[in-house]
Amino acid sequence: MDTNATALELLFEFLSFPSVSTDPSRAPQVAECASWLAGQLDSIGLSAEVHPTPGHPVVLARNPHREGRPTVLIYGHYDVQPEGLICQWHTPPFEPQIRDGVIYARGSADNKGQIFAHVQGVARTLASGAELPVNLIFLIEGEEEIGSPHLDSFLEKHRESLRCDVIAVSDTGMVAPGVPTLTYGLRGVAAMEIRVKGPNVDLHSGIYGGAVRNPATVLAQLLASLHAADGSVSVVGFYEGVLPLQDWERAAWARIPFGDKQIEEVTGVAALGGEAGFTTLERIWGRPTAEVNGIAGGFQGEGTKTIIPKDAFAKLTFRLVPGQNAEAVLAAVERHLREVCPKGVTLEVELGHSGEPYLCDPHSAHGQAAQRALAKVLPGHEVALIREGGSIPIVNTFQRILGAETLLLGLALPNCRAHGPDENFTVANFEAGIALNQALLQELAAG
Ligand code: BES
Ligand code: ZN
């Protein structure tokens, strides 16, 4: 009981750092959070180091490694998304609170609560006087939410000391409370900003409307041209290489206690929509998409202002599935937009960060060990084998640079509000995460 209280108190300290990686003005708080975390890892008996990078620091920690044991790398991130509008939160984002067994704070689910459960699992094993059953490496970064721009080169540089047999990540979700969930695939992501430029200055829409193309209208036309009426993406080459779902996946997903009804409930929309010919789970886990994340241009103030705005812009991201390649998708989209764009406006395209998708076999030896650990900690349900629609780009890079597969054992619930107001993580899942760390390391050591 005491240990739990301490674990929760420490988690609350961790959650109190506004370690928002996207906001340069918060770099000092991100750095403080990294030092605090390294202090925790040291205090439980590991040897921890804070490694500066050109961006935010990477925290590494390890136990004494011995021959003959598998090496397990546990990856997570201590950075968080911006809190957004404070008025949309019931309690302040960086002042964690428990209400009805649920912890509310930015980062509680994504990813501080989940990675800290691993830290506490290790702490508990070591505090019992036992040795860890594996050679362990913690790698906890501070730039996941901005696309891990410095982690690839960090992995290259430390390739030898980070050599491992398998990687464990708890930065994904579970399909329903109490349902053990193993994620074996992630979508990739590729970002782009587009700007449509028209006249030198905003023009009177009475004097010039009808003669000069309206950049906001052109932008809307460009964005609308990305999709066909059946919900598919109309960019030539977009689906090139997309691997079809396998029969066992469709069958497994059909048994999962999660689908349209839960998604409608959590999101508050009256009906779901997407690419025709696929179920909702297939569309979010196994199909690529094009999304407009933001759109702006022209007069936004109160009342009417009769202008043709000088420009308009939009932020886009594309979710990618195995078989696709981020660079090729961005190139295909740019080609498409330039073709559709009419004369009289200029289209500027700026490519953003990108990360490749990931797919592994949940039935591999490591996958089976993960399933045994999940079944032990969350008994009574079949382990749900899923892919996730979200992205953790470094997981693909782990495969490429470290040659190791990643087990994704997340415990965030569908209503965890990751990236949104009132982000939350249940105390029960924090505790399950602690037990899962202990069970997982045992199962991986057993082989
Ligand atoms: N934890 C998420 C990834 C995730 C989300 C996995 C949902 C499974 C389900 C991660 O922290 C994240 O938000 N990633 C970004 C990546 C981007 C910033 C490069 C994402 O998916 O938008
Ligand atoms: Zn996130």
Side-chain angles (χ1 to χ4, degrees):
M1 222 31 211
D2 269 342
T3 333
N4 276 350
T6 314
L8 266 180
E9 280 161 24
L10 291 170
L11 173 62
F12 275 34
E13 275 187 45
F14 191 24
L15 292 169
S16 303
F17 291 94
S19 50
V20 179
S21 52
T22 50
D23 181 354
S25 76
R26 275 156 152 181
Q29 284 94 324
V30 178
E32 276 169 31
C33 187
S35 305
W36 180 89
L37 183 58
Q40 282 303 309
L41 290 159
D42 265 329
S43 76
I44 65 170
L46 302 177
S47 64
E49 294 163 354
V50 177
H51 287 258
T53 75
H56 301 302
V58 172
V59 177
L60 285 184
R62 59 183 77 224
N63 62 343
H65 287 196
R66 281 205 281 108
E67 286 285 315
R69 300 191 303 193
T71 301
V72 180
L73 186 150
I74 300 178
Y75 162 86
H77 61 98
Y78 66 86
D79 64 320
V80 297
Q81 285 273 329
E83 64 273 38
L85 294 177
I86 298 279
C87 61
Q88 293 181 355
W89 289 74
H90 283 90
T91 48
F94 299 108
E95 294 172 27
Q97 283 202 14
I98 298 182
R99 296 194 293 276
D100 293 333
V102 181
I103 306 160
Y104 289 88
R106 169 59 84 236
S108 52
D110 184 6
N111 172 236
K112 287 174 171 172
Q114 302 218 56
I115 187 62
F116 203 62
H118 278 287
V119 175
Q120 286 303 312
V122 170
R124 223 169 260 187
T125 304
L126 294 175
S128 74
E131 228 191 303
L132 292 177
V134 300
N135 297 332
L136 183 72
I137 304 171
F138 268 114
L139 190 170
I140 309 176
E141 70 152 320
E143 299 193 308
E144 196 274 345
E145 297 291 3
I146 50 173
S148 306
H150 301 104
L151 199 53
D152 287 24
S153 55
F154 185 87
L155 293 181
E156 297 275 11
K157 191 166 152 204
H158 298 271
R159 187 198 294 259
E160 283 314 313
S161 65
L162 295 177
R163 204 163 276 293
C164 57
D165 297 292
V166 66
I167 295 165
V169 176
S170 295
D171 193 21
T172 48
M174 70 199 292
V175 292
V179 178
T181 304
L182 180 64
T183 296
Y184 62 91
L186 294 165
R187 288 199 288 192
V189 63
M192 169 185 280
E193 278 187 37
I194 63 175
R195 185 177 293 272
V196 177
K197 286 186 161 173
N200 295 330
V201 291
D202 290 352
L203 301 176
H204 191 294
S205 66
I207 302 175
Y208 297 104
V212 173
R213 278 197 203 280
N214 184 319
T217 307
V218 172
L219 179 69
Q221 286 162 343
L222 293 181
L223 297 179
S225 78
L226 291 173
H227 288 95
D230 66 359
S232 64
V233 175
S234 355
V235 174
V236 174
F238 184 77
Y239 291 102
E240 207 171 289
V242 167
L243 291 180
L245 290 168
Q246 296 181 36
D247 289 342
W248 75 262
E249 301 185 271
R250 288 182 199 276
W253 295 0
R255 291 199 301 277
I256 288 173
F258 175 72
D260 293 29
K261 195 174 133 275
Q262 288 80 5
I263 296 176
E264 283 171 7
E265 258 168 39
V266 166
T267 58
V269 300
L272 303 180
E275 190 185 1
F278 296 91
T279 67
T280 301
L281 292 187
E282 288 167 6
R283 285 195 230 123
I284 53 180
W285 294 346
R287 297 292 294 170
T289 56
E291 302 293 344
V292 179
N293 307 122
I295 180 165
F299 181 62
Q300 314 274 325
E302 210 157 302
T304 308
K305 191 178 184 204
T306 48
I307 56 161
I308 294 173
K310 64 193 277 284
D311 56 10
F313 83 99
K315 288 176 184 266
L316 312 178
T317 50
F318 303 87
R319 292 287 169 173
L320 314 175
V321 299
Q324 281 180 306
N325 162 278
E327 213 178 310
V329 164
L330 289 176
V333 172
E334 179 167 357
R335 210 176 309 123
H336 169 94
L337 293 171
R338 292 206 182 282
E339 258 168 45
V340 175
C341 190
K343 287 207 185 82
V345 295
T346 327
L347 173 64
E348 283 180 3
V349 175
E350 199 182 315
L351 305 187
H353 64 77
S354 64
E356 303 295 342
Y358 179 70
L359 190 63
C360 70
D361 177 9
H363 306 107
S364 69
H366 289 135
Q368 286 180 37
Q371 290 192 48
R372 288 197 300 274
L374 282 161
K376 193 157 136 193
V377 174
L378 299 163
H381 290 275
E382 181 187 4
V383 177
L385 301 179
I386 71 164
R387 301 199 206 176
E388 284 272 25
S391 308
I392 312 175
I394 202 63
V395 169
N396 183 292
T397 316
F398 283 147
Q399 203 169 33
R400 186 166 52 77
I401 299 181
L402 301 181
E405 80 176 315
T406 297
L407 305 167
L408 297 144
L409 314 101
L411 296 166
L413 289 171
N415 62 354
C416 72
R417 298 266 189 108
H419 297 197
D422 286 344
E423 180 178 347
N424 62 83
F425 192 50
T426 62
V427 175
N429 280 7
F430 178 57
E431 277 163 10
I434 296 174
L436 184 57
N437 166 271
Q438 296 182 291
L440 179 69
L441 297 188
Q442 274 163 14
E443 292 298 340
L444 289 172

